[in-house]
Amino acid sequence: MKILYATPIAKRYRAIETETRLAAEDGHEVHLVADRRPHWDDHEVDPRVTVFWLRPNELRARENPIVTWLLCRLPRAVLRRLRIGPLTRPADRVLRAWDRRVAHPIERRRRRRTGSMRTAYRLATLTGLIEAHDYDWIVLGEPGAVDLLADDLPALLARRPGLRTTYSYETFLEADGVR
Amino acid sequence: MSAGRRVAVVTPWYPEAQVPFRGSFVRSMVEAVAPGCERLDVWHLNLWTVIRPPERRETVWRVQRELLPRSVPPIATASGAVLHRVPVMAPPLEDWRAQSDEFASWLGVALGGEPIDASIVHAHVPFTAGWAALEHAAPGAKVFATEHASFLADVLAQPGARDRYDEILDRLDGYFVVGEPLRDLVAGVFPHHAGKIRFIANPIDFRAPRAEAPRDLRRWLSVSTLTERKRIDHLLRGFARARAEDPGLTLTVVGDGDGRADLEALAADLGAAEAVDFRGAVEPDEVRGIMAAHDLLVHTSRHETFGMVVVEALAAGIPVLVTRSGGPEHALEGVEAAAGQFVDVDDDPAVLAKGFAELRGRHRTGLDLARAREVLAGRYGYEAVARQHFQAWDRAAEEPAP
């Protein structure tokens, strides 16, 4: 069978390593989609498994440089310099107020946009693979996989009621002629 | 499997690929009792924490309710039993009562609205799996639960959770604890249920110990998660102290945890880095062999409900140096001197080193590992523990329904 092992967050390293290997040993064609975390610099996925690494950390929402410089960096630099001299207390107060009212909301907005970009990237990769490969079986190996596909799964299952879904790959008992 | 007993075991812990040692004692229980059952199903309610805003959670929950009944095919597990792994999605909760509701709710979804198909349901950890078992047991089924949780005091500190636990105790047909500290805690909080509390052991494999008792106690071993409660930092300090007297000592630390890097640094600071081998987590099946290849198990925990690893070490044929942390005193009652040496829970590493020196001084003539094993096998061996379960289940089955 053609299996997609979906772990877009991919913190369950041992499970990913063990279960994809077991699936490959059982003769399945296994595709793994997972966040490329530092763990994998020292650990290997079974070579029979086709891996689609996600690299969401390379994505970062851009902020208008004028906004960044004029509203965040420049005022902070000036106020921090002032804090060293005799104006320590008022400068500190103004810096904290500036951060609270101006700089932090800008940064929060950028973080939210970055988060949305990364989610969209993960989702596009996953749904792209599902469309392209016509899998027989999807392993939703972590809550993040269910979360990411939550808006798409009902339609997918309605379209393909025979698609097998599980939360792990293990030595399942014979059922419906599978394995 | 033999005829007669149709049993379901409901548990929040069971070994899985990600954490192969978590709940290995539940698998041992299954392995011990399954041969005496006509059918045994294990429902592993595996907690999946979901950190998402409430509105997104609603969407995820809705999809999960559709997915779950079609996504948990049965899995072969120990001694012919059948395992069903059910993810229990829950937000990070500090409210234990709410958490027990999540366990019951997701088990209901996995069962597709049907009750658990068993006349005997045995749960591990009453406030999560026990509550789920009670809510979904078939009419007339007898429900039992065993308490193992080392954090039960935290649970019972919450009024809502305490009320829920009271109700659970009321409804159960049998309630067991694995050690005296838990019995004292539960009987203290619920004196009206004190008469219902029974002891039951975690089964331990006593087959094939090492060929001969250790001649010298040079190769220390620790098998434990690397958490604060287990006090591995204290073990390292005590080991360094003992090693100052005998540089030939070595220590193997089996287990993993967030504190590992700090502990490795501490071993280096103590000048013992080359004598300490951090093995990390290993498969449960490997532990027995590792124990047999060492001379002494050292267990420095602050608090244990049972202290299974201590009995496992004796089953493997090595003595123990263990803190008086609650469970182990109860587990080794009557064979303390034959099995090894107890030391107090004391942050002074000299106490551990002194305990080791005393044990070493008498280990050739003062220990009787064969007798300790024989006594403990009668209490905690697979056959003994299976018998304890069967007696409790069969006695309840014979009682007329209220």
Side-chain angles (χ1 to χ4, degrees), chain A residues 11-16 18-19 119 140-144 146-151 153-154 157-158 160-168 170-173 175, chain B residues 15-21 46 48-52 56 59-60 63-64 66-76 81-83 85 87 89 281-283:
Chain A
K11 284 187 182 168
R12 291 168 51 84
Y13 311 117
R14 285 178 74 118
I16 293 168
T18 308
E19 293 183 7
T119 302
L140 301 154
E142 61 184 21
V146 181
D147 178 11
L148 194 62
L149 289 172
D151 298 317
L153 273 170
L157 296 178
R160 298 195 47 207
L163 176 67
R164 195 165 202 226
T165 51
T166 59
Y167 301 103
S168 59
E170 301 187 63
T171 311
F172 295 118
L173 290 168
Chain B
E16 55 156 334
Q18 179 61 24
V19 198
F21 45 85
N46 194 11
W48 275 18
T49 303
V50 177
I51 307 169
R52 299 291 275 150
R56 180 62 186 170
T59 309
V60 177
V63 172
Q64 177 69 346
E66 189 180 338
L67 273 174
L68 189 51
R70 70 192 304 285
S71 304
V72 284
I75 302 162
V82 175
L83 169 65
R85 270 196 219 284
M89 283 192 170
V282 302
E283 298 292 326

Side-chain angles (χ1 to χ4, degrees), chain A residues 4-156:
Chain A
L4 175 66
Y5 193 100
T7 50
I9 308 300
K11 284 187 182 168
R12 291 168 51 84
Y13 311 117
R14 285 178 74 118
I16 293 168
E17 215 170 315
T18 308
E19 293 183 7
T20 53
R21 186 179 61 242
L22 180 62
E25 274 166 11
D26 285 342
H28 297 299
E29 181 184 348
V30 185
H31 288 185
L32 165 67
V33 59
D35 195 340
R36 171 83 199 191
R37 289 176 178 272
H39 170 88
W40 300 109
D41 296 343
D42 317 313
H43 296 77
E44 280 182 12
V45 178
D46 189 290
R48 290 166 294 186
V49 175
T50 307
V51 186
F52 299 90
W53 291 120
L54 296 169
R55 299 176 195 274
N57 290 343
E58 291 174 7
L59 296 174
R60 216 169 284 270
R62 282 190 174 180
E63 188 57 84
N64 183 333
I66 298 171
V67 171
T68 308
W69 275 102
L70 283 185
L71 297 178
C72 297
R73 292 192 181 177
L74 204 61
R76 276 172 166 169
V78 171
L79 289 164
R80 278 179 188 146
R81 178 60 62 89
L82 284 174
R83 235 176 15 177
I84 300 167
L87 297 171
T88 301
R89 281 183 149 190
D92 201 44
R93 250 195 330 268
V94 174
L95 177 61
R96 272 188 277 130
W98 187 266
D99 273 345
R100 196 170 57 247
R101 289 181 194 162
V102 181
H104 286 170
I106 292 170
E107 286 163 355
R108 265 201 303 275
R109 202 175 57 217
R110 191 165 68 83
R111 274 201 300 274
R112 267 201 303 275
R113 286 210 317 276
T114 299
S116 301
M117 278 173 72
R118 290 176 181 177
T119 302
Y121 157 72
R122 287 189 180 105
L123 181 61
T125 309
L126 202 48
T127 51
L129 283 170
I130 292 170
E131 288 303 319
H133 289 279
D134 202 23
Y135 294 107
D136 306 300
W137 184 344
I138 299 180
V139 178
L140 301 154
E142 61 184 21
V146 181
D147 178 11
L148 194 62
L149 289 172
D151 298 317
D152 298 81
L153 273 170
L156 179 65

